[in-house]
């Protein structure tokens, strides 16, 4: 361990960043640091922009080898680093014209999300992912066994059909911790870049959709109604899409409820947004439920007039 208060930072006359008397990075115009990260703005005389870069402080203090930045982002040339929000994601820059700007670094975002997921703060994580367009497969891929263990809490904590639908719609069998976010998980103990890690994701979509659907249907009627579009989407997300099962299930659920007729129309309209109208009508016919087929036909007619 190291004591942050004992660390001395500085920029030399040649714009080298010096930490405890040792030069680490060149062409540094400004920097900020805390116990976790060192952020710098670097410049290059041959480039029209500067770079906002981040490195882990522990890497700098615990090795004699050359240190590389964990991530980098181009910013306007002449921008100065003011600071960043410890434990969060905001970074403040003063631009050449004097105005202050706030940006969010992917490294800080993912670090924040890891903590939220480990602490079971699923809704907070979902809001951040939606706002900053982080792939929601991270919910599962961050720690598959952990996620499946707490998937019921995940559903109830989020409690929003909109956010749950975004998650289900984004699901695929790729592992984002081995793909687009691999640099941020390169030192993780629970993820290994091997055949086992890839194989564990082969049936991810099927497994997650089934479990989410079963949990929602185990709730009371009020919550089921609020989240039923998510139930529908779990059928349609499977490969191949289970359209007939979705139609039969929504029909059965609607018959249980006082205002089932209105809900059935709403849910069929939702299915029609995700499945071609002609195919949907043919699928409805194949269920041999004439009332359901009529409801689908009525919705299709409404769609045409709209």
């Amino acid at each position: 361990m190291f004591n942050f208060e004992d660390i001395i930072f500085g920029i030399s006359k040649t714009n080298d960043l010096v930490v405890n008397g040792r030069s680490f990075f060149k062409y540094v115009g400004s920097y900020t640091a805390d116990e976790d990260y060192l952020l710098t703005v670097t410049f290059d005389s041959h480039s029209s922009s500067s770079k906002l870069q981040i490195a882990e402080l522990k890497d700098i203090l615990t090795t004699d080898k050359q240190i590389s930045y964990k991530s980098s982002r181009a910013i306007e040339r002449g921008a100065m680093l003011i600071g960043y929000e410890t434990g969060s994601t905001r970074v403040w820059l003063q631009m050449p014209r004097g105005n202050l700007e706030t940006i969010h670094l992917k490294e800080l975002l993912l670090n924040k999300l890891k903590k939220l997921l480990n602490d079971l703060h699923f809704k907070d994580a979902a809001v951040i992912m939606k706002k900053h367009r982080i792939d929601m497969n991270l919910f599962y891929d961050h720690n598959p066994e952990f996620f499946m263990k707490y998937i019921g809490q995940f559903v109830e904590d989020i409690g929003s059909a909109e956010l749950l639908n975004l998650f289900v719609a984004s699901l695929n069998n790729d592992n984002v911790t081995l793909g687009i976010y691999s640099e941020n998980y390169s030192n993780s103990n629970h993820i290994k870049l091997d055949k086992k890690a890839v194989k564990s994701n082969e049936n991810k979509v099927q497994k997650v959709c089934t479990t989410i659907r079963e949990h929602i249907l185990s709730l009371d009627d009020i919550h089921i109604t609020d989240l039923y579009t998510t139930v529908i989407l779990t059928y349609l997300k499977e490969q191949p899409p289970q359209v007939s099962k979705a139609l039969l299930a929504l029909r059965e659920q609607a018959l249980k409820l006082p205002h089932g007729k209105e809900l059935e129309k709403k849910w069929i309209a939702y299915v029609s947004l995700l499945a071609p109208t002609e195919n949907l009508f043919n699928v409805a016919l194949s269920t041999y439920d004439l009332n359901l087929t009529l409801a689908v036909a009525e919705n299709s007619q409404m769609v045409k007039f709209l």
Side-chain angles (χ1 to χ4, degrees):
M1 288 294 294
F2 56 85
N3 188 346
F4 181 70
E5 295 179 355
D6 295 335
I7 304 171
I8 300 175
F9 299 89
I11 298 178
S12 71
K13 293 181 180 180
T14 56
N15 290 103
D16 289 355
L17 179 66
V18 180
V19 182
N20 287 347
R22 181 185 168 194
S23 177
F24 280 92
F25 302 115
K26 296 183 178 297
Y27 310 114
V28 175
S30 55
Y31 70 91
T32 186
D34 67 3
E35 295 181 354
D36 296 318
Y37 292 107
L38 171 68
L39 280 69
T40 67
V41 169
T42 60
F43 59 89
D44 185 344
S45 59
H46 302 293
S47 175
S48 60
S49 63
S50 298
K51 289 184 178 180
L52 174 60
Q53 307 192 91
I54 183 170
E56 288 195 30
L57 193 58
K58 66 178 181 180
D59 292 342
I60 295 174
L61 299 176
T62 58
T63 182
D64 295 328
K65 298 179 181 179
Q66 182 68 30
I67 300 297
S68 299
Y69 288 108
K70 292 183 70 67
S71 65
S72 177
R73 173 172 174 170
I75 59 174
E76 186 176 349
R77 186 176 179 84
M80 298 290 290
L81 186 56
I82 302 300
Y84 88 96
E85 187 176 13
T86 300
S88 191
T89 66
R90 292 186 295 179
V91 178
W92 296 287
L93 298 168
Q94 182 172 10
M95 309 312 288
R97 295 168 300 283
N99 57 305
L100 296 179
E101 290 192 7
T102 302
I103 64 173
H104 298 264
L105 275 180
K106 185 180 74 171
E107 175 71 26
L108 298 178
L109 282 168
L110 291 174
N111 186 55
K112 175 76 171 179
L113 287 170
K114 288 176 185 179
K115 293 178 180 178
L116 289 173
L117 295 178
N118 290 337
D119 293 338
L120 302 177
H121 297 312
F122 295 117
K123 186 168 186 177
D124 292 340
V127 171
I128 290 176
M129 289 183 189
K130 178 186 176 184
K131 180 178 180 180
H132 297 286
R133 299 182 180 181
I134 301 295
D135 193 324
M136 286 192 171
N137 280 277
L138 189 64
F139 274 115
Y140 178 92
D141 296 337
H142 171 69
N143 191 332
E145 291 183 6
F146 182 84
F147 178 76
M148 293 306 297
K149 179 180 179 180
Y150 292 102
I151 195 168
Q153 187 170 337
F154 164 79
V155 171
E156 294 181 37
D157 184 35
I158 289 183
S160 160
E162 178 191 2
L163 291 175
L164 286 173
N165 290 349
L166 283 175
F167 168 69
V168 174
S170 71
L171 280 174
N172 59 61
N173 288 326
D174 295 332
N175 189 329
V176 295
T177 66
L178 303 180
I180 57 176
Y181 303 136
S182 59
E183 292 183 0
N184 305 91
Y185 279 84
S186 58
N187 296 323
S188 297
N189 294 324
H190 68 288
I191 293 293
K192 301 294 183 183
L193 186 56
D194 57 19
K195 294 181 180 179
K196 290 183 179 179
V198 176
K199 189 174 182 180
S200 68
N201 271 41
E202 287 180 355
N203 64 341
K204 176 175 74 174
V205 175
Q206 178 74 34
K207 180 167 60 176
V208 172
C209 285
T210 300
T211 309
I212 286 179
R213 181 167 62 242
E214 290 175 350
H215 184 80
I216 292 176
L217 294 176
S218 71
L219 303 174
D220 58 65
D221 285 345
I222 294 176
H223 286 94
I224 292 176
T225 302
D226 290 341
L227 302 177
Y228 204 76
T229 54
T230 302
V231 173
I232 293 170
L233 189 55
T234 61
Y235 283 114
L236 302 181
K237 189 63 182 180
E238 293 181 12
Q239 291 299 325
Q242 302 298 311
V243 182
S244 61
K245 287 185 179 180
L247 290 174
L248 289 170
L250 71 84
R251 171 71 173 168
E252 181 181 352
Q253 183 64 28
L255 291 174
K256 299 177 183 178
L257 302 171
H259 303 288
K261 190 69 175 177
E262 291 80 4
L263 289 171
E264 184 182 61
K265 289 181 180 179
K266 173 185 173 182
W267 293 337
I268 289 175
Y270 183 74
V271 175
S272 70
L273 293 174
L274 305 171
T277 302
E278 297 80 5
N279 293 349
L280 186 60
F281 180 73
N282 292 333
V283 171
L285 280 174
S286 70
T287 65
Y288 298 101
D289 186 323
L290 295 182
N291 290 323
L292 176 61
T293 304
L294 179 60
V296 170
E298 289 175 349
N299 177 77
S300 301
Q301 193 69 22
M302 289 169 59
V303 171
K304 286 183 180 179
F305 283 122
L306 288 174

